[in-house]
Amino acid sequence: MDKQPLDEFKDQVRPAIVSKLEEFAILGYEEVSAENLWEFLKNKKWKKTSELSVHEVVQDVLALKIGDFMNYATVKSYKTASWYDSDEAKNLLKGLM
């Protein structure tokens, strides 16, 4: 099979992504978007792979477990969250001074 860069498959595998998002919604995770799912796959699952076959991409999408995605999303939110810059933190720190 012909291997291609990952982003070229995004539209071709959209039905698999939509199916996975519907599965997540049934499990109560309606807030997961197609972009979040694709980002997870690129950054974690395919981190060391730049090219795959379309069937490999579909297989990885359909095999994805919600726990794996939520672990990634939780760690990412901790890394990017800047609570100290929030208004709540500033008000709290102001009260301590």
Side-chain angles (χ1 to χ4, degrees):
M1 276 273 143
D2 188 30
K3 294 185 183 252
Q4 298 178 17
L6 294 169
D7 285 328
E8 292 184 21
F9 290 128
K10 192 172 181 182
D11 289 331
Q12 291 176 323
V13 300
R14 187 160 303 280
I17 292 172
V18 168
S19 175
K20 186 52 68 169
L21 292 174
E22 289 171 352
E23 178 186 328
F24 286 1
I26 289 170
L27 296 172
Y29 296 95
E30 298 89 7
E31 69 280 355
V32 180
S33 71
E35 289 300 318
N36 296 138
L37 187 62
W38 190 255
E39 178 186 324
F40 164 77
L41 290 165
K42 283 178 59 176
N43 292 336
K44 289 301 272 186
K45 185 72 177 172
W46 306 320
K47 186 176 184 177
K48 297 178 182 176
T49 306
S50 61
E51 295 183 353
L52 292 170
S53 299
V54 69
H55 72 277
E56 293 172 313
V57 174
V58 170
Q59 179 181 354
D60 288 342
V61 170
L62 296 178
L64 177 62
K65 300 201 180 333
I66 188 63
D68 295 336
F69 176 81
M70 292 309 293
N71 287 340
Y72 168 79
T74 301
V75 169
K76 182 181 173 197
S77 71
Y78 284 135
K79 287 181 177 179
T80 60
S82 182
W83 182 80
Y84 294 105
D85 293 332
S86 69
D87 290 336
E88 181 183 352
K90 289 176 184 176
N91 290 336
L92 180 63
L93 292 173
K94 215 182 282 185
L96 294 175
M97 293 180 179

